[in-house]
Amino acid sequence: MTIEYSDASKIFHLQTKHTSYVFHVLENGELGQIYYGTKIHAKDNYSNLTTRELKDATVAWKIDKPDFQPDILKFEYSALGSGDFRFPAFQLTFNNGSRISEFKYASYEIKSGKRRLDGLPATFGFADDGSQTLIITLRDETVGVDLQLSYSVFPDQDVIVRSSKFINHGTERVVIDHAFSSELDLPDSNYDLIEFPGAWARERHFTRSKLKPGYQGAGSLRTASSHQANPFMMLARPDTGENSGEVFGFNLVYSGNFLDQVEVDQFDGSRVLIGINPNEFSWNLTPGETFQTPEAVQTFSNQGINALSQQLADFYQQHLVNQRYAHSTRPILVNNWEATYFNFNENKLMEIVKTAKSVGIEMFVLDDGWFGERNDDTTSLGDWFVDKSKFPNGIGHFANQVHELGMKLGVWFEPEMISKQSQLYGEHPDWMIQTPGRHQTPGRNQFVLDMSRPEVVDYLVDSISKIIDETQLDYIKWDMNRYITEMYGQKLAANQQLEMGHRYILGVYDLYERLTKAHPEVLFESCASGGGRFDLGMMYYAPQAWTSDDTDAVERMKIQHGTSYGYSQSMMGAHVSAVPNDQTGRYTELNTRARVAYFGDFGYELDLTKMTDSELSEVRKQVEFYKKYREVFQFGKFYRLESPFNGNVTSWQVVSPDRDLAIVGRFQLLNIPNSPYLRIKFKGLDPDKQYRVNGSEEIFYGDELMNAGYFVPEILTNSKKQGLRTADFSSQLFIIKAV
Ligand code: GLA
């Protein structure tokens, strides 16, 4: 049984293969948390774990229940105002202005599987995968509002997915001031908080700090999950490392403003809240309406952080990503952005396409600048029809030529945006988000369309579909290059203005839903000035994302390493670009650039026609190599062996499901002369299988390679002799094959 319920003690016990999640109905009808962590036996009674100690200077629920002190209890979905003074999971305001709610347990229901949500990206389960969903209904009789807490249990990946839903059965409007997706009240605070802050071109860097009393966490008010913060976070015991120890992981299936908050309270409890950011949000729940929060993903491992990343990667592949693409390898592409920027025409592009074809690349992605009159970033967003000065015979003609060569075609769109210099703005100036009578703040010279308006979404479905049909398109890169300012919904009432952020993102999801349904053959990649919307909401529709605008191999070590904690390799677009690198001015060797990019969805982002013959033949070999091993690079089990956040060396390993093949990439920053003796310990091999490494004659058992290690030869010391520009930033690749 995945979900057990004891009627006598009103205890719910959710079990996955290795974890238990236990809670019960409290005397006042609320739900109280008992335990989350390594699997324990199901029992009818956990009175020891629910022991209450009477504390002074703390309010109690009733005179005759002095030990029922809400500020000390652990809740499933807490409310403010009746004795729990910590940050609450939700807050409602009723018609008379009052803010006290009393949701009491009413009923529960257990269903097999896990259904998707309407209008929101969501996880899903299948009849035969053992997943189960528990829906608990709590009721506030005074106002006639139901609160449903949903828990879906995915036993194989040790994941529990949670969300909440408010249903107004009453006769009055209720305002939801905020509503998180999940809450976890942990009994102690001896944890490190691991988060992934960043900036444009420096996304998702690993940070780890000890929890401290009060509020901490990550959040965004940028109208997107953002470059600066990511909804994925972990709580790890201080002694937990990659390969051992207890760790919790949390993520949110949402792309707008979010808050992941941990509050350490006066008794060293830790309250974790995951969901839509309470700031800049409220929702009018009129009679008969429901409000569904996005889903929060929570998981636990006692086997360390790497194991947690692996169970999440498996979970996303089985239960989140579009199943048409989840298991199929992604094409090797060349993108013309860093090759040409806006300066191209059909002839120039066809030269790139032909060269790409000659080295075995499978897809050409036409980036920004093909539409309207877009020769720089000041015009034409919204005008999704081809620029005839660049493609005199139309985009369909260009697409035919690409397809005739046996290549796939991708096209860039930035659907959510509008330039003031555009036909669209001329026709619909009111479609642009703006606050009446206020200054309008440009971002990259552009403004944002009001995606909460159905006519805007309809226009985008039509205009993008036309291009898809005309080009028989294989791939779309969906960009989003600025955050929203002067947020205001012209079609919304004054008291609905704080709904706008969520309504905007629902409009984005609607557009994704309609386009992906109507054009299932198109693979979507999401992008937001690189990694500004790298989140599970996007991944549901677009199974891969442009990880960062920073294509420098050295910066990418940190970006891809940081990203790998909460996301899988097949979600990360990773391309080889030219040197000196456009973002950092750095020189790295072509082989290092490729080896870093192999650990993702591989491609090129440079002008192939400017490469020398010897460079092109190196590219041909890289493409051949990646094709041979792409399955394991994109979908193999990912191991972080050495971290760029710790020092000079980064190394990553991927292992095939049958453990017959593993590849290790080892990258160093600065070269070390006369370097010390070194062995690297591989991971995830079968201890009893015999392997060869890079075709060497010696045979190794898996246990030797994992425990004694493998000798690492000194890296290039004589760059002149090797014909290298620099011996810094060099790399090694170990290919480990079962014999
Ligand atoms: C953003 C993207 C880039 C490129 C440009 C085009 O910056 O992240 O990859 O598509 O827009 O304008």
Side-chain angles (χ1 to χ4, degrees):
M1 276 290 276
T2 307
I3 299 173
E4 283 196 35
Y5 173 65
S6 154
D7 206 22
S9 53
K10 298 215 161 23
I11 290 176
F12 293 91
H13 193 135
L14 282 47
Q15 282 190 336
T16 65
K17 261 194 186 147
H18 307 103
T19 70
S20 280
Y21 186 91
V22 190
F23 60 93
H24 62 156
V25 181
L26 295 164
E27 295 99 298
N28 72 346
E30 286 185 73
L31 300 180
Q33 240 157 50
I34 297 179
Y35 172 71
Y36 185 30
T38 300
K39 191 170 184 168
I40 57 175
H41 284 93
K43 285 200 307 183
D44 260 1
N45 180 344
Y46 293 96
S47 56
N48 179 267
L49 293 179
T50 51
T51 308
R52 300 202 286 247
E53 268 182 329
L54 194 66
K55 299 285 179 190
D56 287 338
T58 306
V59 301
W61 174 47
K62 278 185 177 172
I63 301 274
D64 59 353
K65 282 267 176 205
D67 69 335
F68 194 96
Q69 297 172 304
D71 214 23
I72 293 155
L73 296 177
K74 286 144 190 63
F75 290 106
E76 280 297 300
Y77 204 67
S78 57
L80 182 74
S82 294
D84 178 358
F85 295 97
R86 292 163 290 183
F87 206 96
F90 71 99
Q91 181 73 61
L92 306 182
T93 300
F94 303 105
N95 231 12
N96 63 0
S98 73
R99 295 159 62 70
I100 302 303
S101 48
E102 287 175 301
F103 283 98
K104 297 196 167 145
Y105 173 77
S107 61
Y108 80 95
E109 193 187 350
I110 296 173
K111 298 177 178 175
S112 66
K114 158 71 172 72
R115 263 158 244 172
R116 294 170 200 253
L117 299 177
D118 277 344
L120 275 170
T123 58
F124 45 82
F126 304 95
D128 56 353
D129 62 10
S131 60
Q132 274 190 344
T133 300
L134 165 68
I135 296 171
I136 295 188
T137 301
L138 301 127
R139 184 159 300 144
D140 187 319
E141 297 284 0
T142 312
V143 288
V145 174
D146 278 1
L147 164 60
Q148 286 190 341
L149 301 181
S150 160
Y151 303 79
S152 294
V153 180
F154 296 88
D156 289 348
Q157 292 89 13
D158 293 317
V159 166
I160 296 174
V161 170
R162 294 187 52 184
S163 71
S164 59
K165 189 190 213 172
F166 290 89
I167 308 161
N168 189 348
H169 298 293
T171 53
E172 292 176 355
R173 186 177 65 108
V174 172
V175 176
I176 303 172
D177 301 311
H178 79 255
F180 281 95
S181 300
S182 73
E183 168 172 353
L184 182 64
D185 279 3
L186 293 166
D188 72 273
S189 64
N190 188 25
Y191 292 101
D192 290 345
L193 174 62
I194 300 174
E195 297 172 293
F196 301 90
W200 174 80
R202 281 190 282 110
E203 291 91 339
R204 290 172 298 286
H205 281 203
F206 175 93
T207 64
R208 180 170 183 159
S209 51
K210 204 172 157 31
L211 281 185
K212 59 179 175 42
Y215 301 131
Q216 52 237 283
S220 168
L221 288 173
R222 292 170 191 269
T223 64
S225 47
S226 86
H227 300 89
Q228 289 73 12
N230 191 274
F232 177 65
M233 74 167 187
M234 290 179 277
L235 285 177
R237 293 293 186 191
D239 60 354
T240 295
E242 287 285 11
N243 306 304
S244 66
E246 294 186 344
V247 54
F248 292 100
F250 307 92
N251 210 339
L252 185 67
V253 189
Y254 193 61
S255 313
N257 291 340
F258 75 93
L259 183 64
D260 290 357
Q261 181 171 278
V262 187
E263 178 184 359
V264 174
D265 67 34
Q266 56 184 332
F267 300 112
D268 280 346
S270 302
R271 172 166 293 176
V272 182
L273 295 169
I274 310 285
I276 295 179
N277 200 315
N279 232 307
E280 285 294 295
F281 173 86
S282 93
W283 198 267
N284 292 275
L285 195 67
T286 48
E289 286 201 336
T290 63
F291 179 79
Q292 167 70 54
T293 70
E295 290 184 342
V297 172
Q298 64 185 42
T299 187
F300 171 84
S301 173
N302 61 14
Q303 302 292 309
I305 297 169
N306 207 140
L308 185 117
S309 300
Q310 290 173 352
Q311 64 204 41
L312 280 177
D314 184 36
F315 176 69
Y316 302 148
Q317 192 185 26
Q318 311 296 334
H319 300 291
L320 177 87
V321 168
N322 182 342
Q323 291 299 287
R324 185 175 172 128
Y325 299 103
H327 309 271
S328 58
T329 55
R330 312 291 162 73
I332 303 173
L333 63 87
V334 59
N335 175 304
N336 74 307
W337 177 240
E338 287 196 25
T340 64
Y341 294 105
F342 293 105
N343 186 17
F344 62 83
N345 57 30
E346 184 172 350
N347 291 340
K348 170 71 200 167
L349 297 184
M350 279 314 296
E351 282 174 31
I352 298 180
V353 173
K354 284 179 187 150
T355 316
K357 174 72 192 171
S358 76
V359 293
I361 291 173
E362 298 157 323
M363 179 161 75
F364 174 73
V365 178
L366 170 58
D367 210 280
D368 194 357
W370 59 269
F371 52 91
E373 294 175 9
R374 186 143 162 112
N375 295 313
D376 56 38
D377 63 17
T378 60
T379 78
S380 303
L381 290 168
D383 293 349
W384 300 115
F385 43 82
V386 77
D387 179 351
K388 284 273 173 96
S389 71
K390 290 180 182 152
F391 298 92
N393 304 310
I395 194 158
H397 178 256
F398 173 67
N400 281 343
Q401 293 180 77
V402 175
H403 284 141
E404 270 164 22
L405 281 173
M407 299 262 293
K408 292 182 176 201
L409 178 68
V411 171
W412 180 97
F413 290 88
E414 199 178 355
E416 299 153 67
M417 297 293 150
I418 183 164
S419 307
K420 283 207 174 173
Q421 272 190 60
S422 66
Q423 284 191 23
L424 186 69
Y425 187 77
E427 287 160 23
H428 299 287
D430 64 311
W431 282 9
M432 177 185 129
I433 293 180
Q434 53 195 296
T435 297
R438 296 292 177 188
H439 168 78
Q440 298 164 353
T441 307
R444 206 196 186 199
N445 300 305
Q446 67 199 48
F447 296 87
V448 187
L449 286 170
D450 184 345
M451 297 295 292
S452 74
R453 289 170 67 165
E455 63 272 34
V456 173
V457 176
D458 289 346
Y459 165 77
L460 291 168
V461 171
D462 289 349
S463 52
I464 295 172
S465 292
K466 260 190 207 127
I467 301 287
I468 295 176
D469 292 339
E470 195 181 341
T471 54
Q472 298 293 300
L473 205 54
D474 304 290
Y475 184 94
I476 283 180
K477 176 178 174 186
W478 176 325
D479 212 337
M480 195 284 291
N481 281 316
R482 62 157 295 177
Y483 301 128
I484 307 172
T485 53
E486 289 85 38
M487 181 72 103
Y488 188 84
Q490 302 199 40
K491 294 281 171 187
L492 299 178
N495 68 2
Q496 286 184 298
Q497 289 303 323
L498 284 173
E499 296 179 9
M500 182 60 187
H502 185 56
R503 285 187 185 275
Y504 175 90
I505 218 70
L506 293 180
V508 173
Y509 291 148
D510 185 33
L511 181 57
Y512 257 118
E513 181 76 30
R514 289 167 65 183
L515 286 174
T516 48
K517 279 259 154 63
H519 308 282
E521 69 290 352
V522 178
L523 169 62
F524 282 74
E525 172 188 285
S526 81
C527 175
S529 298
R533 224 165 41 180
F534 204 104
D535 58 62
L536 298 182
M538 286 291 123
M539 293 301 170
Y540 174 79
Y541 302 103
Q544 60 191 69
W546 185 221
T547 317
S548 175
D549 274 347
D550 196 333
T551 52
D552 172 64
V554 173
E555 290 300 313
R556 274 295 183 127
M557 290 173 204
K558 283 189 174 158
I559 296 168
Q560 291 174 211
H561 193 96
T563 305
S564 78
Y565 286 92
Y567 303 90
S568 58
Q569 313 93 273
S570 64
M571 292 175 167
M572 293 187 230
H575 302 169
V576 175
S577 63
V579 287
N581 178 270
D582 267 8
Q583 294 79 36
T584 59
R586 185 174 287 134
Y587 279 94
T588 50
E589 292 305 324
L590 185 52
N591 68 2
T592 295
R593 279 176 269 155
R595 285 167 178 177
V596 171
Y598 288 154
F599 289 84
D601 299 318
F602 184 65
Y604 293 84
E605 184 105 5
L606 44 69
D607 191 345
L608 293 165
T609 66
K610 289 194 181 137
M611 294 185 108
T612 63
D613 286 349
S614 86
E615 284 172 331
L616 276 180
S617 84
E618 199 174 335
V619 167
R620 189 175 295 114
K621 284 192 197 126
Q622 292 170 351
V623 168
E624 225 171 84
F625 174 81
Y626 188 74
K627 281 181 183 165
K628 189 163 168 198
Y629 296 115
R630 118 171 87 188
E631 181 100 31
V632 72
F633 276 123
Q634 294 178 358
F635 300 116
K637 249 194 191 157
F638 187 79
Y639 290 87
R640 291 176 292 269
L641 306 185
E642 289 170 284
S643 166
F645 298 99
N646 291 343
N648 200 40
V649 176
T650 302
S651 39
W652 300 326
Q653 182 181 349
V654 286
V655 182
S656 66
D658 59 10
R659 297 193 285 174
D660 276 357
L661 171 67
I663 301 178
V664 172
R666 186 172 180 278
F667 313 100
Q668 72 169 9
L669 298 183
L670 300 184
N671 199 24
I672 299 167
N674 202 14
S675 62
Y677 175 83
L678 205 69
R679 286 184 198 165
I680 185 168
K681 289 181 180 174
F682 301 140
K683 297 231 178 299
L685 304 176
D686 182 334
D688 301 321
K689 267 190 190 158
Q690 295 186 322
Y691 295 91
R692 264 192 231 280
V693 182
N694 283 8
S696 72
E697 286 311 305
E698 188 173 348
I699 302 284
F700 307 92
Y701 279 103
D703 56 9
E704 177 185 342
L705 293 174
M706 292 192 291
N707 297 303
Y710 185 76
F711 171 68
V712 179
E714 191 168 351
I715 299 192
L716 319 158
T717 49
N718 189 338
S719 56
K720 273 206 198 94
K721 205 160 126 201
Q722 307 276 346
L724 298 176
R725 235 184 299 234
T726 167
D728 294 336
F729 320 125
S730 49
S731 58
Q732 290 157 306
L733 214 53
F734 302 99
I735 299 163
I736 304 134
K737 284 185 184 170
V739 292

